[in-house]
Amino acid sequence: RKMNSDTPLSMCSQCQSFKPPLSHHCRICNRCVSRMDHHCPWMNNCVGAGNLKHFILFLIYTWLCNCMALSLLAWNYFFCVSEQCTFTTLLIQLSRITSILSTGSLLFTSSMIMNVTYGVMTGIGTIDRLKKKALDTMLLSEEEPILLKEIFGIAGYHTWFFPIDPVFENYDRVMGFSTTQRLLREQMKEKESGSGASSGSVSPYGNGSGTGGSYYDDASAYNV
């Protein structure tokens, strides 16, 4: 979502502090989470801006493991003709249980992957999407797609598939600015950049990403 200086800054009634844009308060975690999607019981944590990469990798790893388990069961059960592939009654029952669990997990992770993909493409998280559908305001959404570098970082494509923390180009912007002062500062920079471009002058703040590129101080309080 593009920052608008006319938009009032919201406060969290639970934390009694500034609420970053697109964030929500989680009653289970008892804190506000930047760009919160939902609270995941499988990860025992909220899914937000700081750990969306880990959640996506968790779904992909689980999906691949289910596919491998079903493939091995199918190969050994239907295509193996050697004497070592004889299935006893116990093995048959275990194979059936494993097949049911793997199939259910495969369908569930597939639906979650599609849900996350839709959220990335539209920029609307699960909680916001449910609220907008309830109020019938989906067509009025102003959210923008989430850039892949704001999920997997800028460390390189080879780090995307490893469960390591991403390095963001602009930590403040990804986390939604943790204080009102930092948000107001960024809004003023965008205003000055816009006025400088219209008058032919160059803003002293560059492209609005900060004087030194990124900020790495107290914004980590909203990392999930």
Side-chain angles (χ1 to χ4, degrees):
R1 177 186 294 179
K2 292 182 179 179
M3 288 179 295
N4 186 357
S5 58
D6 298 328
T7 303
L9 303 178
S10 60
M11 299 293 293
C12 178
S13 59
Q14 302 294 327
C15 297
Q16 297 297 320
S17 62
F18 166 64
K19 193 174 183 180
L22 303 179
S23 66
H24 297 279
H25 184 88
C26 178
R27 296 181 180 179
I28 300 176
C29 297
N30 194 28
R31 61 174 174 172
C32 285
V33 180
S34 294
R35 207 169 67 201
M36 179 179 176
D37 187 83
H38 67 285
H39 183 89
C40 178
W42 312 108
M43 295 179 62
N44 192 29
N45 199 359
C46 285
V47 177
N51 65 351
L52 182 58
K53 171 190 174 180
H54 299 290
F55 181 68
I56 293 176
L57 292 181
F58 169 71
L59 293 177
I60 294 176
Y61 293 161
T62 306
W63 191 88
L64 291 175
C65 288
N66 290 323
C67 290
M68 183 178 69
L70 290 173
S71 300
L72 292 175
L73 283 172
W75 177 263
N76 286 280
Y77 190 80
F78 294 107
F79 301 104
C80 187
V81 294
S82 65
E83 296 180 356
Q84 298 179 352
C85 294
T86 303
F87 279 71
T88 63
T89 304
L90 177 62
L91 288 178
I92 291 176
Q93 298 301 324
L94 290 176
S95 298
R96 290 174 178 175
I97 294 175
T98 305
S99 299
I100 293 174
L101 293 177
S102 297
T103 302
S105 180
L106 180 65
L107 295 175
F108 177 74
T109 51
S110 298
S111 65
M112 290 301 298
I113 290 175
M114 290 187 291
N115 181 72
V116 172
T117 302
Y118 179 84
V120 172
M121 294 177 63
T122 60
I124 306 175
T126 302
I127 296 178
D128 291 323
R129 184 164 65 251
L130 294 176
K131 288 182 177 180
K132 291 177 183 295
K133 286 184 177 180
L135 300 175
D136 196 20
T137 57
M138 283 293 293
L139 299 178
L140 303 177
S141 301
E142 298 180 354
E143 286 78 5
E144 297 179 341
I146 303 176
L147 301 177
L148 292 180
K149 67 178 182 180
E150 294 184 356
I151 301 176
F152 298 98
I154 58 173
Y157 296 113
H158 63 282
T159 64
W160 285 20
F161 300 100
F162 294 97
I164 56 178
D165 291 334
V167 178
F168 298 122
E169 181 180 12
N170 191 328
Y171 192 87
D172 256 354
R173 183 177 293 275
V174 173
M175 293 300 165
F177 304 96
S178 58
T179 63
T180 53
Q181 292 81 4
R182 302 173 85 168
L183 178 59
L184 291 172
R185 179 187 62 193
E186 193 72 12
Q187 291 173 342
M188 291 181 64
K189 290 178 183 178
E190 288 198 347
K191 271 190 172 182
E192 293 181 7
S193 297
S195 61
S198 60
S199 61
S201 60
V202 180
S203 171
Y205 298 104
N207 58 4
S209 61
T211 54
S214 304
Y215 307 98
Y216 293 96
D217 42 12
D218 62 335
S220 59
Y222 287 91
N223 193 7
V224 293

